[in-house]
């Protein structure tokens, strides 16, 4: 239903780009992801042994273990994660990230208590660096999810719209959106629009706009075409 409701916008997008593949490539560029990226691949890279500095995190664990109960819980989460094999780290990534990031994905303000940090002054910087790394990873994961879902929906949408157009054509039907789109095409088509507007000019003196908060680009394009002569000169 969402695809059908936005079919004129999707059709213009595909016409401008030339193909679904081109639109997908543009989305990948916009989101700064590879078109063949997967969440599993991002996690695998994030959990590889060379993706973090083990010695730094072990140092953080030692400092946190001598802190508050919250520090100790965080130490346990880090120790479990760095002590696991890469494949297990990927499965535990969510719990590990919670030790550094809020539910909204931002680094926690207090990654170590003042008392624990006072005994290990270098650890706060270690914690901040790891939090920043995890924030960037989670951002990449969200971008990948958005990209893959959008690309899939667009490919499916193209097939749905093609079938919808075929079914309408076989019955010689036009729906409401077809009438709007056809009116816009007529008023914007080179060599035709001028003649149409000339014929309308003799009888068109006012335009009454209902639902003026409507955000439909097609509606406003028609209004611009109809009223352009009002302000000529």
């Amino acid at each position: 239903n969402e695809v059908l409701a936005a079919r004129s916008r999707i059709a213009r997008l595909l016409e401008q780009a030339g193909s679904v593949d081109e639109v997908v490539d543009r989305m990948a560029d916009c989101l700064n992801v590879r078109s063949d990226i997967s969440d599993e691949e991002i996690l695998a890279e994030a959990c590889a042994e060379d993706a973090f500095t083990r010695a730094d995190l072990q140092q953080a664990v030692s400092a946190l273990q001598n802190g508050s109960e919250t520090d100790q819980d965080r130490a346990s989460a880090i120790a479990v994660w760095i002590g696991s094999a890469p494949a297990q780290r990927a499965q535990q990534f969510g719990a590990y990230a919670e030790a550094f990031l809020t539910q909204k994905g931002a680094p926690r303000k207090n990654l170590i208590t003042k008392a624990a940090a006072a005994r290990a002054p270098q650890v706060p910087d270690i914690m901040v660096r790891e939090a920043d790394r995890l924030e960037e990873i989670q951002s990449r994961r969200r971008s990948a999810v958005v990209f893959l879902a959008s690309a899939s929906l667009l490919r499916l949408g193209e097939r749905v719209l093609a079938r919808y157009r075929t079914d309408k054509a076989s019955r010689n039907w036009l729906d409401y959106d077809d009438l709007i789109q056809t009116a816009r095409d007529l008023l914007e088509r080179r060599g035709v629009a001028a003649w149409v507007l000339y014929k309308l000019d003799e009888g068109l003196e006012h335009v009454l706009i209902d639902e003026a908060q409507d955000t439909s680009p097609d509606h406003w394009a028609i209004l611009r075409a109809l009223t352009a002569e009002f302000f000529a000169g």
Side-chain angles (χ1 to χ4, degrees):
N1 286 337
E2 291 288 344
V3 167
L4 291 175
R7 58 187 175 275
S8 62
R9 293 168 58 194
I10 294 174
R12 283 199 304 274
L13 175 65
L14 294 175
E15 182 179 354
Q16 292 167 1
S19 68
V20 172
D21 289 339
E22 178 62 26
V23 177
V24 169
D25 288 342
R26 291 181 186 181
M27 285 196 296
D29 290 340
C30 180
L31 292 165
N32 196 29
V33 298
R34 294 200 329 268
S35 58
D36 60 345
I37 196 65
S38 70
D39 188 52
E40 292 77 13
E41 182 180 351
I42 294 173
L43 279 178
E45 292 175 358
C47 297
E49 193 64 32
D50 60 354
F52 59 95
T53 305
R54 175 181 289 273
D56 284 352
L57 291 181
Q58 287 175 331
Q59 193 173 359
V61 169
S62 298
L64 290 165
Q65 286 174 337
N66 295 317
S68 68
E69 184 177 347
T70 300
D71 286 331
Q72 292 172 18
D73 289 342
R74 191 166 285 138
S76 177
I78 297 172
V80 168
W81 192 78
I82 64 177
S84 301
Q88 292 176 313
R89 289 180 198 141
Q91 296 174 356
Q92 302 162 356
F93 191 82
Y96 175 65
E98 286 180 5
F100 295 85
L101 306 178
T102 66
Q103 289 186 342
K104 293 184 178 181
R108 295 186 181 277
K109 291 183 178 180
N110 299 311
L111 292 167
I112 183 172
T113 59
K114 291 182 179 179
R119 291 190 290 270
Q122 69 282 6
V123 169
D125 286 341
I126 292 173
M127 297 292 289
V128 168
R129 284 197 299 271
E130 182 65 359
D132 289 343
R133 183 181 82 91
L134 296 177
E135 181 184 25
E136 192 273 334
I137 291 166
Q138 295 293 58
S139 177
R140 287 182 61 203
R141 295 181 68 194
R142 288 192 297 271
S143 293
V145 168
V146 169
F147 167 73
L148 292 170
S150 299
S152 297
L153 179 60
L154 187 62
R155 294 186 189 282
L156 176 63
E158 182 194 33
R159 299 293 296 274
V160 169
L161 296 181
R163 176 64 181 269
Y164 185 62
R165 287 192 299 270
T166 300
D167 286 351
K168 286 190 298 180
S170 68
R171 295 169 171 81
N172 290 322
W173 283 356
L174 293 176
D175 61 22
Y176 176 76
D177 283 345
D178 291 329
L179 299 178
I180 296 294
Q181 186 62 49
T182 301
R184 177 179 181 176
D185 291 343
L186 186 65
L187 291 169
E188 292 184 339
R189 189 178 305 167
R190 183 176 299 176
V192 176
W195 180 84
V196 173
L197 292 171
Y198 170 75
K199 298 299 288 186
L200 289 173
D201 190 46
E202 295 178 356
L204 191 65
E205 297 180 357
H206 307 283
V207 177
L208 174 64
I209 303 175
D210 188 19
E211 297 293 339
Q213 79 280 7
D214 194 336
T215 56
S216 168
D218 290 327
H219 292 178
W220 289 106
I222 291 171
L223 282 169
R224 280 195 298 272
L226 288 174
T227 59
E229 286 297 316
F230 286 11
F231 310 102

